[in-house]
Amino acid sequence: MALSFSSSLSSSRPLLRRPASAPRSSRALTVQAKIREIFMPALSSTMTEGKIVSWVKSEGDRLSKGESVVVVESDKADMDVETFYDGILAAIVVPEGESAPVGAPIGLLAESEDEIPLAKAQAQSQSKSETQSQAPPPPPPPPPAADASPPSSPPSAPAPATVASSRTVITPYAKKLAKQNKVDIATVVGTGPYGRITPSDIEAAAGIQTKKPAPASPASAANGVAAAPAATGTPPAARVLPEIPGSTVVPFTTMQSAVSKNMVESLSVPAFRVGYPVTTDALDALYEKVKPKGVTMTVLLAKAAAMALAQHPIVNASCKDGKSFTYNSSINIAVAVAIDGGLITPVLQDADKLDIYLLSQKWKELVKKARSKQLQPNEYNSGTFTLSNLGMFGVDRFDAILPPGQGAIMAVGASKPTVMADSEGFFSVKSKMLVNVTADHRIIYGADLAAFLQTFAKIIEDPDNLTL
Amino acid sequence: MQASLSLSCASPVISAKSNPALGSFSKSSALRFCGLKREVLGFRSVKSVGLGRIQRSVSRTVTAALSGNGSASKGFDYDLVIIGAGVGGHGAALHAVEEGLKTAIIEGDVIGGTCVNRGCVPSKALLAVSGRMRELQSEHHLKALGLQVSSAGYDRQGVADHANNLASKIRSNLTNSLKALGVDILNGVGSIVGPQKVKYGKAGFPETEITAKDIIIATGSVPFVPNGIEVDGKTVFTSDHALKLEWVPDWIAIVGSGYIGLEFSDVYTALGSEVTFVEALDQLMPGFDPEIGKLAQRILINPRNVDYHTGVFAKKITPAKDGRPVLIELIDAKTKEPSDTLEVDAALIATGRAPFTKGLGLENINVVTQRGFVPIDDHMQVLDAGGNRVPHLYCIGDANGKMMLAHAASAQGISVVERVCGKENVLNHLSIPAACFTHPEISMVGLTEPQAREKAEQEGFEVSIAKTSFKANTKALAENEGEGLAKLIYRPDTGEILGVHILGLHAADLIHEASNAIALGTRIQDIKFAVHAHPTLSEVLDELFKSAKVNCAVSHSVNEPVAA
């Protein structure tokens, strides 16, 4: 297989603007002396450097287009490299057996004999090596910085370092990494067994982060987006925390990983919270009435939230791309349920349209399925609004983390008898429940949430509509 | 297996003749012909009618099997006694029974020998694991296929058990096949007492002496450990220990870069070890065709966590102890000057194998081993100190050192049995393929390019080379395994295949088309008209044969229809 190297006019180089002889006019368009560089070709997508196996041609040989000039060894194969141009191989910059990075000049091609001395001079300026001793006619100016000469022999860490006192022991992969990242092994202190240099030592020296702490990326995304003042939560530090002796590490289950992922994702959303007290005496009375019919408090709250959402569609909306509102056509209330070893949110679909008895029936099925881990995806990920209730544990207030893809989540505390004073100064004891809503401030503003909560409180305080 | 196969060939004949006796015979095909004497007589009569070649050979098989481990020649306990029940001895025994010889096999250890218990078989189990691990770990490869795998891990004990279970399974298969054929398995260490006389027995028990018309030595080999290397079986070990996979060291030095070293490097790197090769010659993989070796280095060494020291001997290896790692003192192979010291977690000694011929009693018949190998002629017949053939004594397999491969031993055994039965047979060792089961695999048959060129120089013929790449093969690309090369070394004047070398996906399975062609003397100009299913890896060889330029007309042998 033969590949052609890419060659370019080197006339852009200041050196070549001073031809030793008169410019050739044989070609209409050519005014400058033509010395072309033969580059180390990229013979495969993974090749970064190539080794010259052999020069098929020697200096001074005349080449014609398509002829093989040099055999290059890449990471994959030996290939003949052929020339695109006619000319004379004026100088070999990289001799046989040496390597050069892809794109570095490995030889110079002169168009005519007149340019050979010039090319040789150029070659000399290019290769740091002093080997070629032809007297250069023009004193070589300093080589352009971008054109660092190829054979700079990276530290290949050969064995002969048998210095009696401080032997460097380095593992094969560490050696490879050091070469790739141009790490000077002499500067690395080995931390492996018997003081050997391990791949992680080289990675540390080269400042490479190992791929393992992957969850760092969502955190950095959060840093980028979290410009809104409402955003809270500190992004988790990527550094590894010191391990406490005797601790056991238990990997996440699939569900736990999903929860973790969702929680971290929420950090990219600017969330804020609004709390509201709701008196529940009327609701409690209703609950006592419907309880025998299988209606639970959860369902009543979900129904109330759904009815309030119907009047405030913005709170049922979501922000998917950070640029627009997505108004959801149905009101699907997801309800957080703690199950063994995790958390799942079965969804009461169209909660605003179904009556509380139907909802209760549905809810019972969903919980059963959730506990036996048989929920279908659309039964737990189609929520448009989430309800989380910790009231049964006596929690008086808490705030929830916004699930991805939803605009708001409601955290419901316990309803407790509270002494209240009305506008006329009369004291009374009423059951009061604190409700806290967390919302995405990109689409839902403080006033929206306040209005929604007001509606919600009204429904709860006058719950007859719930049974309709 | 062999028997049931030949039967299926015979069944059309049987039904055509509608011989009731034979009908029942074919039904009992799974029974390995035990006790079916009458049916065979019937079958004989079929043969006498003069049917084609295929049937005749079948009938021979049947008689042989039926006579079971028949009666020995006059005055001998056995027709054939084989010392060593490895793959070579097993192959010889099977064929001997087929030829109607009363056969015994003496084994002092376990049936199956090195290959089954400590060699090719368990190593294939480990390599099957390493191949899968490699696939699962290659993100680039999986991505190209559109696959997502979160992470690949392994359970060392599970892997080790797989290897061990495979060995026991194959061992019991081998044992059962010998027993089913009625080969007498004699337990104990066998040695030669005199001409046609062998004794065997377990240590501490009285020995039994038996006579045999012919004797085959098939005692095999053991890992070779050079002087200065201290093997403790834990941190410095040979393939015998490594196959048990008792642990996976972080960093292991492999001394020797032949088949064994390469395969273990494949296993260890896939399981997460880093590997350092120590090779005495100037090049890694010295036994391979240089071009294949070079490509193998690019595919199997350079991209992996492997480095190497070539042109050095491991002069001294000390196992890890007293808080010191394994120490390997290297000396320059030419100047013998100390060149370096390696500190590693483990060292695998894969410097080849030494014949296991001590205590065979060869001195009783005036045979002197050469570096432990039993000297033989072209027919595996043992030569004595004077270079004369020892009558009725043969040596096959690793013990003769001619070609240290399990299947070569078996082929040699079959060749010997043929000779013993009065049929001229010379095994063409150049037709015996060899394979290295790395990922991808390497396989070869016949001569390497330098060997072919040397032969050409001496004999005055021309050598041509043809090459094809796996990159051009549809099936290989579908598997996303396009790396690899097939190389054909041939005579352009006659079309004779001198050697074929393959590096690529399933190379070990692909080589047989070439090795069969060499064994049967098929020429390129003929085989290139054979058709290969598309798309298969076999098309790599198809392309190879087609790309060869032979200045010779098609010979006629293959153009005649073999079967209508």
Side-chain angles (χ1 to χ4, degrees), chain B residues 233-263:
Chain B
K234 290 185 182 72
T235 55
V236 180
F237 46 79
T238 66
S239 56
D240 285 2
H241 307 103
L243 287 166
K244 293 181 191 152
L245 201 73
E246 278 164 350
W247 64 305
V248 179
D250 289 341
W251 184 6
I252 183 167
I254 300 181
V255 183
S257 65
Y259 296 74
I260 302 171
L262 266 188
E263 291 191 355

Side-chain angles (χ1 to χ4, degrees), chain A residues 265 269 316-320 328 383-385 402-408 442:
Chain A
E265 240 171 64
V269 175
N316 194 44
S318 52
C319 181
K320 305 246 192 245
N328 296 303
T384 58
F385 180 90
L402 196 59
Q406 292 183 22
R442 290 174 301 175

Side-chain angles (χ1 to χ4, degrees), chain B residues 2-11 13-14 25 33 40 43 47 52-65 98:
Chain B
Q2 220 166 350
S4 60
L5 264 181
S6 30
L7 245 197
S8 67
C9 288
S11 52
V13 182
I14 293 160
F25 169 70
F33 316 109
V40 167
F43 199 67
K47 174 202 161 189
R53 204 178 38 158
I54 299 168
Q55 291 96 38
R56 232 180 296 139
S57 71
V58 168
S59 76
R60 180 172 56 72
T61 311
V62 173
T63 9
E98 201 176 304

Side-chain angles (χ1 to χ4, degrees), chain B residues 276-288:
Chain B
T276 296
F277 272 115
V278 175
E279 172 57 54
L281 294 172
D282 288 333
Q283 233 184 335
L284 288 178
M285 298 169 269
F288 297 162

